Amino acid sequence: MKELSLNVLDITQNSITAGAKHIEISLIENEEGILTLSIADDGCGMSQETVRRVIDPFYTTRTTRKVGMGIPLLKLAAEQAGGEVKIVSKTVEDDPDGHGTVISATFDTGSIDFTPVGDMVSTMCTIIQGHPEVDYLFVHKTASFDVSLDTAELRAVLGEDVPLSDFAVIGWISDYLQQQYQNENQ
Amino acid sequence: MKAMSIAELTALRDKMKDRVAMREGSGQIRVVVGMATCGIAAGARPVLSAFVEKVGEAGLGDRVIVSQTGCIGICQYEPVVEIFEDGKEKVTYVKMDAAKAAEVVEKHLKGGVVVDAYTIGQNK
């Protein structure tokens, strides 16, 4: 993947497939330049056996091919930048009230092999456009900006008649995020 | 959340409410973009963004639905876009990019003419 934002787009599809209703996507870079990406969902979760296997490129839930590169590619991006990937998951049987998966990855942004974050605005718009029924909380913080989006707040304004996936709404979300990135950079 | 932006969103909602009610059931075209790992790695995100933006700009939102799907099964041809229209054969566009997507919106979705050069039949 050319940008981490593409890995985020890809990995988030797994949360949606897992039937998540709420997904929290956060990218937080600390003062030491360590970036922590976290995607947390309230989906069906995975057994400990499955958690071990998703790292393997030859494990997949897809039916069209026998390879699943999503998590292996994220792991590669993290490890080549001196970081790691961790997956914590609870199935409905493990915890009926707190099931879901948290996948987190760390990166040293100073590493020569760090993949740039890239266009998170496009990633968020694409995720929301594809599955407007899910609620997303997005946070992206670094020393120079603090960007956030909570689709539950947008839904409260839009009501039930106007879906988040409407062309005009996606355009608004794109401008809204773009503005936050620009304002904070100045 | 910024008050100004929320005011804009509220205005947007009021403008759209009437339109949304009319949309259901009209002769629809469905544009489906493959967004599995293979599609994303090959550049599906800008293709999807271009369809969303251009269909909106062209005012085709009432009869065109842009949606996403998983792996279509022809990873070597990604980004792949399928277009479904009532009473017509499915059209599969392959190795797409944002510029080609804009052209497909203009010629195919708006003008009704399939852009043969980008279809799978011309790219085998």
Side-chain angles (χ1 to χ4, degrees):
Chain A
M1 298 279 182
K2 287 178 190 155
E3 302 174 4
L4 282 182
S5 63
L6 293 174
N7 294 95
V8 174
L9 174 59
D10 187 28
I11 299 295
T12 305
Q13 310 289 336
N14 298 342
S15 298
I16 291 161
T17 309
K21 295 277 169 283
H22 293 88
I23 302 175
E24 294 186 16
I25 298 167
S26 74
L27 290 139
I28 295 171
E29 191 182 319
N30 69 12
E31 286 157 3
E32 283 83 46
I34 302 299
L35 172 70
T36 304
L37 159 70
S38 160
I39 301 170
D41 69 57
D42 60 354
C44 63
M46 293 178 281
S47 68
Q48 297 317 303
E49 173 62 18
T50 307
V51 169
R52 272 193 296 277
R53 291 172 66 195
V54 290
I55 298 288
D56 174 5
F58 296 102
Y59 177 78
T60 182
T61 55
R62 76 159 81 180
T63 51
T64 48
R65 280 269 184 283
K66 286 193 169 134
V67 290
M69 297 303 291
I71 291 170
L73 285 172
L74 179 67
K75 188 168 182 270
L76 175 73
E79 288 177 356
Q80 73 184 12
E84 57 176 351
V85 167
K86 280 184 189 161
I87 305 171
V88 177
S89 195
K90 284 180 188 168
T91 63
V92 181
E93 291 82 49
D94 293 338
D95 187 348
D97 300 319
H99 57 87
T101 300
V102 181
I103 177 157
S104 50
T106 50
F107 308 85
D108 179 353
T109 59
S111 161
I112 191 163
D113 290 318
F114 171 65
T115 312
V117 173
D119 186 358
M120 276 308 298
V121 176
S122 289
T123 280
M124 287 314 299
C125 288
T126 304
I127 292 170
I128 295 167
Q129 197 273 340
H131 296 275
E133 69 284 1
V134 177
D135 266 321
Y136 305 93
L137 182 65
F138 167 60
V139 177
H140 190 181
K141 270 187 210 176
T142 71
S144 51
F145 57 79
D146 182 353
V147 174
S148 67
L149 179 79
D150 181 353
T151 58
E153 289 180 17
L154 307 189
R155 220 181 285 281
V157 173
L158 292 171
E160 284 177 11
D161 296 335
V162 182
L164 286 173
S165 57
D166 190 285
F167 297 103
V169 176
I170 294 294
W172 180 90
I173 293 172
S174 176
D175 290 348
Y176 180 72
L177 287 173
Q178 215 66 267
Q179 256 173 30
Q180 289 189 53
Y181 277 108
Q182 282 163 9
N183 288 346
E184 306 278 347
N185 275 332
Q186 282 163 9
Chain B
M1 210 168 272
K2 292 178 198 74
M4 181 56 204
S5 302
I6 287 297
E8 283 169 16
L9 189 65
T10 309
L12 203 66
R13 174 201 62 196
D14 294 340
K15 210 169 74 184
M16 288 186 306
K17 260 187 175 169
D18 311 323
R19 241 186 43 213
V20 173
M22 287 165 40
R23 189 172 306 172
E24 314 271 323
S26 52
Q28 277 174 343
I29 302 176
R30 207 155 56 86
V31 176
V32 180
V33 182
M35 296 291 292
T37 308
C38 47
I40 293 169
R45 189 183 65 186
V47 171
L48 191 274
S49 300
F51 271 108
V52 170
E53 193 188 321
K54 299 296 174 191
V55 166
E57 275 176 17
L60 295 169
D62 291 347
R63 57 186 195 93
V64 177
I65 294 173
V66 179
S67 59
Q68 303 174 24
T69 187
C71 180
I72 294 169
I74 43 170
C75 309
Q76 67 274 35
Y77 292 110
E78 295 283 358
V80 174
V81 176
E82 295 179 316
I83 298 191
F84 298 87
E85 193 173 354
D86 284 346
K88 291 188 182 172
E89 235 177 280
K90 174 182 84 176
V91 177
T92 304
Y93 289 114
V94 300
K95 298 181 180 170
M96 291 293 281
D97 59 32
K100 290 177 181 176
E103 198 179 329
V104 167
V105 171
E106 199 54 35
K107 292 185 176 158
H108 184 164
L109 303 181
K110 210 170 167 184
V113 181
V114 175
V115 187
D116 284 323
Y118 310 148
T119 58
I120 189 161
Q122 302 282 319
N123 286 274
K124 275 185 177 163

